[in-house]
Amino acid sequence: MVVSRFVLIVACIFPCAIFAQGVIVGAGLDPDGGGGMVLEYHKGGEFSEEVRDWPWATAMRFDADSDFWVGVGLHQQLNLSDSFFVEASFMPGYYNPEDTDLGGNIHFRSLVGFGFRSGVQSAFSISVDHLSNGGLTSSNPGSELISLRYIYNY
């Protein structure tokens, strides 16, 4: 089972990392007091008629209970000024419960954040994300993570 999980993570993350234009690492807390880590890869772009140009992302989220989620979806940053921005993303993905059952394995992550650019290639943001199975099962308690994130664009 561990090998199949590892293969799933590598299959989702590795191809995206090759084409990524930015990497994000973060650490945070959930409202119940547990900790979590986030790793994301982003590719830039704009929404247009050409879907291949859309700004995609892939992400992994691990928590202190050894639960993890991995997904691929869309992201966007909206500049408020030269220094400040808001960010949002939506990603369907696979959730693997170890300690916390959120109702099934298919979960959607939505994220909203506020950030500050600290240089041409780097930024910091604070974000809130929510995992939910979208009502696919009768049990849908959801899970939130409030994170401090470092963004490096290359």
Side-chain angles (χ1 to χ4, degrees):
M1 189 70 152
V2 171
V3 172
S4 63
R5 291 179 191 158
F6 179 74
V7 168
L8 174 68
I9 290 170
V10 170
C12 289
I13 297 298
F14 183 71
C16 297
I18 292 173
F19 300 107
Q21 294 170 325
V23 63
I24 297 171
V25 293
L29 295 172
D30 65 33
D32 297 326
M37 300 285 297
V38 176
L39 173 64
E40 296 185 27
Y41 293 102
H42 287 189
K43 181 182 180 304
E46 297 294 328
F47 290 105
S48 67
E49 292 179 13
E50 297 294 326
V51 174
R52 69 175 181 255
D53 294 333
W54 285 11
W56 57 263
T58 185
M60 295 187 314
R61 175 179 152 182
F62 300 89
D63 68 23
D65 299 334
S66 298
D67 306 315
F68 76 85
W69 172 88
V70 59
V72 177
L74 300 173
H75 80 93
Q76 191 61 277
Q77 279 189 1
L78 175 65
N79 295 325
L80 300 175
S81 70
D82 288 341
S83 298
F84 295 98
F85 62 90
V86 292
E87 61 181 332
S89 66
F90 177 78
M91 299 181 201
Y94 174 80
Y95 175 74
N96 183 78
E98 287 294 326
D99 188 51
T100 307
D101 184 8
L102 297 179
N105 296 110
I106 303 300
H107 280 71
F108 306 93
R109 188 194 82 165
S110 53
L111 176 142
V112 63
F114 176 76
F116 173 78
R117 286 185 188 78
S118 57
V120 175
Q121 293 180 301
S122 61
F124 293 91
S125 72
I126 187 163
S127 68
V128 177
D129 75 34
H130 175 74
L131 279 181
S132 171
N133 67 23
L136 294 175
T137 67
S138 58
S139 173
N140 185 19
S143 173
E144 291 77 31
L145 186 67
I146 301 167
S147 300
L148 178 61
R149 300 152 39 103
Y150 173 72
I151 302 163
Y152 180 76
N153 295 305
Y154 46 92

